[in-house]
Amino acid sequence: MESSLNAALPSAAEPLIVMGAGLVGTLLALYLTRRGHPVHLYERLPDPRKAGLREARSINLALSDRGWRGLAGVGITDDIRKVGIPMYRRVMHDQRGQLTHQPYGQEGQAIFSVSRDSLNRTLLDLVEAKPNVEITFGQKLTQLDLPGRRLHLRDVASAREYDVPYQRLFGVDGAWSAVRGAMQRLDRADYSQQYLEYGYKELTIAAGPGGTWQLEKNALHIWPRGNYLMIALPNLDGSFNATLFFPYEGAPSFDSLRTPEEVEQFFGEVFPDVVPLMPELDTEFFDHPTGSLVTIRCWPWSYQDSVLLLGDAAHAIVPFYGQGMNAGFEDCTVLDRLLDELGEANWGEVLDQFERLRKPNTDAMAELALYNFVEMRDHVADPRFLLQKRIESKIAAQFPGQWLPLYSRVTFSPDTSYAEAWAAGQRQEAIMQRLMPLIQTEEDYELPNVKELIEKELSLVK
């Protein structure tokens, strides 16, 4: 879906500055340069294409329809498909190694496993191919003069400090954004961060002989264990990037597993089917850092007509709905649409409309991510939960215009906002809570009292 760019470009498009050259920053730069603007990206970290892989610190990402729409807006979907693997369903592994399956959507619908590092490298290559884009790595923002529209930067390698003036600045520098940090010091600025009592650890399921996949390739694998879980997403080289979401303290926890022997015993008891596929488990468990899981909310996202926060800088969420990157990419499409509608002579209105449109939706997505953590951890192995999902699929098939599962609304329906999806999901869950006491097997869907209740409930929400 190519952006129409209906609004006339200014005769001399002003230079724009993007602080942050991660996934959202690079995509944003492609949108802005496509509108005719020279763009300069500043990034605190070194160029990942030269610094070596950072996979031990990076959760594999799930690219879905909102993200694909963002990539399509600048015509780069074919480039990104080269680094993604479609996943059509969840595969749940119980403690005995038995498997159950749950499709993500209708037949043919998939989310895509992408390596953050590979995706970032690809986007950086695409950005650098543009003649009016410049990226400077290793530049730390140490001070932001908001009224004076001036950045104070430090070159990390040389320690040289210098100022950069700007007319328009986009803060896309991640969950610990330096741009947001300056805005937080403004009068009446709101900010909150909420940590889970869980951390995460990146581990590797090795590729088989000849780069083959030792688990089902086109699926997201989950080992739900009540108080914690492990997931695994496929990589192009045949391996899987596994992530253990685990309490910091208690028993069991990161704190309680202190020796290789304790790790081996725990994994052998709790994840017995996959341990033989993790030859580097001991080394990775102790060498890889333990990451924290945080939800960040703030307001405002803009300053006058000159500064705007996007992506994690504005709305960092936990990864359990796979929507953090997708929400950031959607930021780019929404901003681009507003520039079409309102014109670049009205930056103040564009920024104001952007934050007012996006804030309720990203708040809803934060709630959805926390909700899905409990679902993945506690419910996906529950026979009653799986039965409910099958019943929901039957309702959706019978009443396609009135019922769409929550996951499909969020993941495969980019025209539905996150806030609308969350509200509809809560309404449908309330209906299911009234319906499921009447259902013990999938065949009970055909019972007259079940049919009557479904029709009555749906008639009330028309």
Side-chain angles (χ1 to χ4, degrees):
M1 182 193 306
E2 296 292 331
S3 173
S4 61
L5 293 184
N6 293 325
L9 290 174
S11 57
E14 69 178 37
L16 302 173
I17 289 182
V18 175
M19 182 59 61
L23 302 179
V24 182
T26 47
L27 182 62
L28 176 64
L30 290 170
Y31 271 94
L32 296 175
T33 191
R34 194 170 177 272
R35 304 188 75 88
H37 292 279
V39 179
H40 196 145
L41 293 94
Y42 291 93
E43 169 58 48
R44 178 179 59 86
L45 296 173
D47 187 339
R49 297 164 298 177
K50 300 176 181 176
L53 288 174
R54 289 179 284 153
E55 292 296 340
R57 302 186 62 183
S58 174
I59 295 177
N60 266 34
L61 303 168
L63 180 59
S64 57
D65 285 22
R66 294 173 199 270
W68 284 116
R69 171 178 283 186
L71 298 168
V74 287
I76 59 173
T77 55
D78 289 344
D79 299 277
I80 304 307
R81 286 187 186 278
K82 296 173 184 177
V83 296
I85 297 175
M87 301 181 293
Y88 298 99
R89 60 182 182 174
R90 292 170 169 172
V91 176
M92 282 73 72
H93 300 241
D94 72 13
Q95 206 155 333
R96 295 171 295 172
Q98 296 181 334
L99 307 180
T100 54
H101 309 87
Q102 183 186 354
Y104 275 123
Q106 299 174 359
E107 186 171 353
Q109 287 184 321
I111 60 177
F112 282 71
S113 173
V114 291
S115 154
R116 180 191 300 272
D117 190 81
S118 295
L119 181 56
N120 197 188
R121 289 166 181 248
T122 300
L123 285 168
L124 286 168
D125 288 342
L126 292 168
V127 167
E128 282 198 333
K130 302 296 180 182
N132 57 343
V133 178
E134 183 178 356
I135 310 175
T136 309
F137 293 95
Q139 307 302 303
K140 182 178 181 179
L141 176 61
T142 59
Q143 186 177 349
L144 173 56
D145 178 1
L146 291 164
R149 301 193 183 204
R150 187 170 294 274
L151 303 169
H152 188 73
L153 299 170
R154 177 188 298 129
D155 182 85
V156 175
S158 68
R160 180 179 70 90
E161 299 194 10
Y162 60 100
D163 287 346
V164 175
Y166 66 86
Q167 283 298 110
R168 227 71 60 187
L169 168 67
F170 299 92
V172 201
D173 48 342
W176 308 116
S177 166
V179 177
R180 188 193 65 234
M183 293 174 63
Q184 284 171 222
R185 292 190 285 273
L186 296 171
D187 185 42
R188 299 177 64 202
D190 287 332
Y191 171 79
S192 70
Q193 60 187 44
Q194 174 191 1
Y195 283 97
L196 290 181
E197 66 274 21
Y198 290 75
Y200 69 90
K201 180 85 68 175
E202 290 300 306
L203 305 168
T204 304
I205 296 172
T212 56
W213 289 269
Q214 302 198 77
L215 301 174
E216 180 181 335
K217 171 187 175 183
N218 297 112
L220 186 150
H221 295 261
I222 306 178
W223 290 260
R225 295 297 183 263
N227 193 42
Y228 50 89
L229 76 155
M230 187 167 68
I231 67 171
L233 284 75
N235 293 313
L236 292 171
D237 65 0
S239 67
F240 285 77
N241 199 28
T243 309
L244 175 66
F245 297 100
F246 208 41
Y248 277 107
E249 298 173 339
S253 67
F254 286 118
D255 183 61
S256 71
L257 299 180
R258 300 187 176 185
T259 67
E261 293 74 22
E262 289 172 341
V263 169
E264 291 173 9
Q265 180 179 352
F266 172 75
F267 273 76
E269 292 173 355
V270 178
F271 307 116
D273 62 328
V274 76
V275 168
L277 312 180
M278 305 173 77
E280 303 298 321
L281 173 61
D282 289 350
T283 301
E284 291 184 335
F285 191 88
F286 292 103
D287 287 355
H288 290 182
T290 301
S292 58
L293 298 165
V294 66
T295 301
I296 289 176
R297 296 177 175 90
C298 66
W299 184 261
W301 293 2
S302 68
Y303 176 77
Q304 298 179 356
D305 67 346
S306 61
V307 180
L308 180 67
L309 301 174
L310 300 94
D312 283 355
H315 48 75
I317 60 175
V318 295
F320 301 108
Y321 227 110
Q323 286 296 308
M325 170 186 63
N326 293 291
F329 285 2
E330 190 173 64
D331 285 348
C332 297
T333 61
V334 172
L335 179 63
D336 189 61
R337 174 172 58 82
L338 288 171
L339 286 168
D340 279 350
E341 293 173 357
L342 301 174
E344 296 188 21
N346 300 300
W347 275 106
E349 188 177 355
V350 169
L351 270 54
D352 180 70
Q353 286 292 316
F354 176 85
E355 63 183 357
R356 293 185 188 280
L357 281 171
R358 293 301 287 157
K359 173 68 170 170
N361 288 304
T362 56
D363 282 351
M365 191 59 249
E367 294 301 320
L368 280 160
L370 294 167
Y371 166 86
N372 210 46
F373 172 49
V374 177
E375 179 173 299
M376 293 174 69
R377 185 191 67 189
D378 297 349
H379 300 321
V380 293
D382 181 350
R384 288 290 296 174
F385 172 84
L386 296 174
L387 175 60
Q388 177 175 325
K389 292 301 179 186
R390 292 195 295 273
I391 297 299
E392 288 187 50
S393 295
K394 288 180 176 292
I395 299 174
Q398 185 176 354
F399 303 96
Q402 295 176 259
W403 190 284
L404 187 65
L406 174 59
Y407 192 88
S408 293
R409 288 184 193 272
V410 172
T411 307
F412 302 119
S413 303
D415 291 326
T416 301
S417 72
Y418 288 130
E420 291 169 339
W422 182 221
Q426 289 175 303
R427 289 194 300 269
Q428 291 181 176
E429 179 61 25
I431 293 172
M432 294 308 297
Q433 291 303 310
R434 292 189 285 271
L435 183 64
M436 287 307 292
L438 305 178
I439 295 177
Q440 302 305 316
T441 68
E442 200 168 338
E443 290 71 28
D444 289 345
Y445 181 76
E446 303 299 331
L447 293 174
N449 60 334
V450 170
K451 292 284 192 183
E452 180 181 352
L453 179 58
I454 292 172
E455 292 176 2
K456 176 183 176 182
E457 293 282 1
L458 292 183
S459 70
L460 297 175
V461 296
K462 285 183 179 178

